[in-house]
Amino acid sequence: MNLLKTILEAQGGGAVSQVASALGLEQKQASSGIAKLLPALTQGLTKNMGSENGLQSLLGALDKGGHDRYLDNPAALSDERAVQEGNGILGHLLGSKDVSRQVASQAASETGLDVGVLKKMLPMVAAMAMGGMKKQTAASGLLGGQQSSSGVAGMLGKFLDSDGDGSMADDLLGMAKKLF
């Protein structure tokens, strides 16, 4: 299962419903926003995994961060802590607020949603993305030192790049197109 599907299907769509409710959107609008924001996060994740200690840092965050709570209990997305954690994740994955603004602006042009709404959605999506990755890596036995770093990187890459073409963005966009 890929990351977008994990997020959209969490708690029977409860995570998407929570985002929609928190931002005054319809469920379909929230799903569309999530689908357009997520590829930038996975690209940042890929870049981060390639940096020195990036993979180990990611695995530590997945193992100890408890981000899966945002998918298990979507109401937690309304907590200020979720926004703070999401902003921290964005800082690691995208590097700067300017990049986050560019991502939101691009998603706004593609979805028709207000850029301000997408800026508010971005930290929620980041928290859910880490939660989805935690669930997938835990289910695959990737956490807890059960595999080598190269094995973990390979498994994460397969999880994020389901068609094996080296790009995760097209996989997420393809899934989004199927949903809409």
Side-chain angles (χ1 to χ4, degrees):
M1 183 181 295
N2 74 31
L3 187 55
L4 179 61
K5 188 173 181 180
T6 299
I7 291 170
L8 295 179
E9 294 180 356
Q11 298 300 315
V16 176
S17 293
Q18 184 64 38
V19 170
S21 176
L23 299 175
L25 300 172
E26 294 176 15
Q27 181 114 355
K28 187 173 181 178
Q29 291 174 309
S31 295
S32 178
I34 291 166
K36 293 298 180 180
L37 294 172
L38 198 55
L41 299 178
T42 60
Q43 287 174 346
L45 179 65
T46 302
K47 182 179 176 187
N48 227 357
M49 281 178 26
S51 69
E52 185 176 341
N53 298 320
L55 179 60
Q56 293 306 322
S57 178
L58 171 64
L59 291 175
L62 290 175
D63 195 27
K64 295 177 177 50
H67 300 105
D68 51 337
R69 72 182 173 278
Y70 298 118
L71 298 181
D72 292 338
N73 177 19
L77 287 165
S78 295
D79 187 351
E80 181 61 31
R81 183 176 173 197
V83 173
Q84 291 171 351
E85 287 184 13
N87 281 326
I89 294 164
L90 291 172
H92 288 289
L93 297 182
L94 302 180
S96 74
K97 290 188 183 235
D98 288 338
V99 175
S100 292
R101 288 183 196 110
Q102 290 171 358
V103 167
S105 180
Q106 178 66 33
S109 70
E110 294 175 8
T111 63
L113 295 172
D114 180 74
V115 70
V117 169
L118 289 163
K119 285 179 189 177
K120 291 177 184 175
M121 186 186 291
L122 198 50
M124 296 169 141
V125 174
M128 290 188 298
M130 288 295 286
M133 288 182 31
K134 163 72 181 248
K135 288 184 164 299
Q136 293 294 322
T137 54
S140 301
L142 295 177
L143 297 178
Q146 298 170 358
Q147 295 192 19
S148 69
S149 291
S150 61
V152 171
M155 291 294 288
L156 279 173
K158 286 178 187 175
F159 167 60
L160 296 169
D161 179 21
S162 61
D163 64 6
D165 68 352
S167 171
M168 291 167 259
D170 66 319
D171 299 293
L172 293 169
L173 290 173
M175 175 59 81
K177 287 178 186 175
K178 288 179 188 174
L179 291 169
F180 306 107

